[in-house]
């Protein structure tokens, strides 16, 4: 079974073909990130317009790379939420149209759930991918850490899961992005903060870890504010000093130490709860998904603190991509999950798990 996956929830226009939920046949991603970088974050209107430009060539390329004609495709899976409204509309309308024209079943995919299905991909003939050798075994503990989400989920089986906890304010990736802005590091903040952190001392500064009433809930907005206060203090400025003027006053050594200290605490926050959930639920497998899943400190801390081997997927499959959507689509088709109506499928920008 071959499924075409289409993903346009944020600034990546992505399409991929996956065979039987485990083999990656193609994975094409066109990002409009460069256009957003000068604004320090994704501009929804620009993202939607660039999806319109990119979606047709990206899908064509993904079909060509997979050496597929439309007759070879068994179904289409598309992200219907969560995400930016204008961005989702482009992907969903494209998928609806293709499903009608080519008479293929259409599957609506939750982007957040999709992130975890990147870990089900274990083989590919594409160059430069490092995939886990084994597929996850249920029960699975899933950690989703992206620019929009921070969630811990316990899966008894496919489509049978409990959301254990989630962030009550900022997502962890969002915190990386905001800290990068304070330090004057380029967007997206996650990779630039983690690069800067390599040169810093992770124990130079003490930053707070939020205590939440929900055992598995997270909060990152206090940590981000603590970084702002720390940067103001390091510059000898008061709380009303504008955050946009701080980076010019901080030395590279200070930026590196703040990056490393922030990263250690942010990552410890999610790892503490993942270890807690592991101890309570004793899953057979732990998987992580979302842009922050490519963070080396996260991988190092998890490897250090969990007593089992974690199935880390290729970093190219951590950030938004069509392969994770196609992989989840394969399991939807295989396990007779509900088919979407191509004449009626709507977007759900605030979809949760
Ligand atoms: O999953 P994703 O591509 O988009 C969403 O669904 O949000 O995640 C993007 C987020 C951004 O906030 C980015 O800064 C963060 O993932 N990110 C990282 C790293 N690479 C990307 N955060 C920390 N360390 C990284 N290496
Ligand atoms: Zn994502």
């Amino acid at each position: 079974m071959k499924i075409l996956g289409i993903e346009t929830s944020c600034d990546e226009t992505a399409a991929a073909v996956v065979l039987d939920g485990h083999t990656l046949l193609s994975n094409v991603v066109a990002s409009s990130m460069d256009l957003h970088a000068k604004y320090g974050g994704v501009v929804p209107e620009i993202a939607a317009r660039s999806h319109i430009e990119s979606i047709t060539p990206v899908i064509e390329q993904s079909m060509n790379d997979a050496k597929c004609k439309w007759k070879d495709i068994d179904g289409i899976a598309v992200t219907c939420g969560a995400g930016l409204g204008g961005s989702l509309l482009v992907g969903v309308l494209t998928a609806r149209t293709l499903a009608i024209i080519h008479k293929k079943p259409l599957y609506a995919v939750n982007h957040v759930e999709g992130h975890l299905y990147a870990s089900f991909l274990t083989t590919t003939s594409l160059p430069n991918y490092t995939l886990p050798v084994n597929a996850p075994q249920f029960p699975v503990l899933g950690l989703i850490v992206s620019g929009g989400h921070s969630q811990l989920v316990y899966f008894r089986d496919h489509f049978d899961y409990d959301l254990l906890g989630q962030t009550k304010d900022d997502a962890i990736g969002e915190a990386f992005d905001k800290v990068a802005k304070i330090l004057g590091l380029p967007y997206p903040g996650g990779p630039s903060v983690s690069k800067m952190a390599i040169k810093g001392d992770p124990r130079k500064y003490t930053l707070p870890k939020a205590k939440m009433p929900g055992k598995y809930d997270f909060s990152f907005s206090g940590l981000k504010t603590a970084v702002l206060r720390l940067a103001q203090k390091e510059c000898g400025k008061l709380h009303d000093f504008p955050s946009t003027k701080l980076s010019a006053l901080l030395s590279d050594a200070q930026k590196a130490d703040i990056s490393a200290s922030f990263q250690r605490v942010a990552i410890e926050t999610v790892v503490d709860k993942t270890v807690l959930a592991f101890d309570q639920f004793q899953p057979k497998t732990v998987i992580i998904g979302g842009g922050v899943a490519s963070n080396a400190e996260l991988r190092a801390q998890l490897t250090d603190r969990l007593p089992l081997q974690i199935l880390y997927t290729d970093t190219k499959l951590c950030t938004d991509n069509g392969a994770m959507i196609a992989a989840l689509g394969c399991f939807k088709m295989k396990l007779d999950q509900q088919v979407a109506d191509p004449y009626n499928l709507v977007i759900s920008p605030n979809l949760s798990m």
Side-chain angles (χ1 to χ4, degrees):
M1 167 209 307
K2 286 179 186 159
I3 299 281
L4 169 71
I6 298 173
E7 154 63 39
T8 64
S9 67
C10 193
D11 57 336
E12 271 95 13
T13 315
V17 180
V18 166
L19 168 72
D20 291 337
H22 52 63
T23 301
L24 180 65
L25 299 180
S26 66
N27 186 38
V28 181
V29 181
S31 177
S32 58
M33 198 178 285
D34 292 354
L35 302 175
H36 306 285
K38 67 176 172 210
Y39 303 102
V42 175
V43 182
E45 165 97 16
I46 294 175
R49 284 171 185 266
S50 60
H51 285 310
I52 292 175
E53 296 296 318
S54 305
I55 188 115
T56 305
V58 163
I59 291 173
E60 274 175 7
Q61 182 75 48
S62 73
M63 297 282 285
N64 288 342
D65 289 358
K67 300 183 177 52
C68 276
K69 302 269 182 249
W70 279 104
K71 66 174 174 42
D72 307 317
I73 296 290
D74 297 289
I76 299 171
V78 64
T79 303
C80 65
L84 300 170
S87 291
L88 290 166
L89 279 171
V90 179
V92 166
L93 184 61
T94 306
R96 281 171 50 163
T97 309
L98 290 170
I100 292 166
I101 294 172
H102 298 290
K103 299 186 176 56
K104 306 291 176 187
L106 180 64
Y107 295 93
V109 167
N110 180 330
H111 176 86
V112 188
E113 202 178 332
H115 266 304
L116 290 178
Y117 276 77
S119 293
F120 283 84
L121 295 165
T122 50
T123 42
T124 187
S125 51
L126 298 177
N128 305 321
Y129 279 84
T130 311
L131 301 181
V133 183
N134 300 310
Q137 301 248 305
F138 291 101
V140 165
L141 179 64
L143 172 68
I144 300 140
V145 276
S146 72
H149 297 87
S150 309
Q151 301 187 322
L152 260 173
V153 191
Y154 178 70
F155 283 76
R156 283 171 288 275
D157 206 337
H158 293 289
F159 313 114
D160 177 12
Y161 59 76
D162 292 326
L163 176 61
L164 302 179
Q166 60 188 326
T167 183
K168 294 295 170 194
D169 40 56
D170 294 351
I172 183 169
E174 198 179 346
F176 270 90
D177 295 336
K178 287 177 175 171
V179 165
K181 231 177 182 173
I182 295 169
L183 301 179
L185 303 175
Y187 178 84
S192 43
V193 168
S194 60
K195 197 169 157 206
M196 201 68 185
I198 295 169
K199 293 176 269 175
D201 174 2
R203 306 221 166 249
K204 171 88 187 205
Y205 302 110
T206 306
L207 290 163
K209 249 191 240 176
K211 291 199 173 50
M212 304 299 290
K215 191 172 174 187
Y216 297 115
D217 285 337
F218 307 107
S219 161
F220 293 99
S221 91
L223 176 58
K224 168 206 67 193
T225 308
V227 168
L228 174 62
R229 298 288 173 250
L230 171 63
Q232 287 166 328
K233 191 166 152 238
E234 286 294 297
C235 296
K237 300 292 178 189
L238 298 175
H239 288 184
D240 57 357
F241 188 77
S243 61
T244 47
K245 293 189 176 162
L246 287 166
S247 70
L249 303 177
L250 290 165
S251 68
D252 276 357
Q254 283 173 312
K255 288 181 188 179
D257 288 338
I258 294 174
S259 294
S261 301
F262 158 76
Q263 175 174 260
R264 176 180 60 78
V265 173
I267 297 298
E268 267 175 23
T269 304
V270 289
V271 174
D272 286 352
K273 304 238 163 168
T274 308
V275 172
L276 208 61
F278 179 85
D279 290 343
Q280 180 174 348
F281 295 97
Q282 296 291 310
K284 281 203 181 127
T285 313
V286 175
I287 55 180
I288 55 175
V292 186
S294 53
N295 182 278
E297 173 71 16
L298 173 61
R299 292 179 175 213
Q301 284 196 24
L302 282 174
T303 303
D304 203 35
R305 292 180 57 191
L306 285 176
L308 82 177
Q309 216 190 341
I310 298 157
L311 303 178
Y312 295 118
T313 190
D314 196 283
T315 53
K316 291 189 284 303
L317 297 176
C318 291
T319 40
D320 293 348
N321 62 82
M324 65 191 204
I325 305 304
L328 177 47
C330 287
F331 288 102
K332 288 208 173 209
M333 188 169 211
K334 222 187 247 185
L335 299 171
D336 293 326
Q337 295 290 296
Q338 201 183 357
V339 180
D341 179 350
Y343 289 94
N344 277 316
L345 177 62
V346 291
I347 58 163
S348 309
N350 298 318
L351 190 62
S352 66
M353 282 193 77

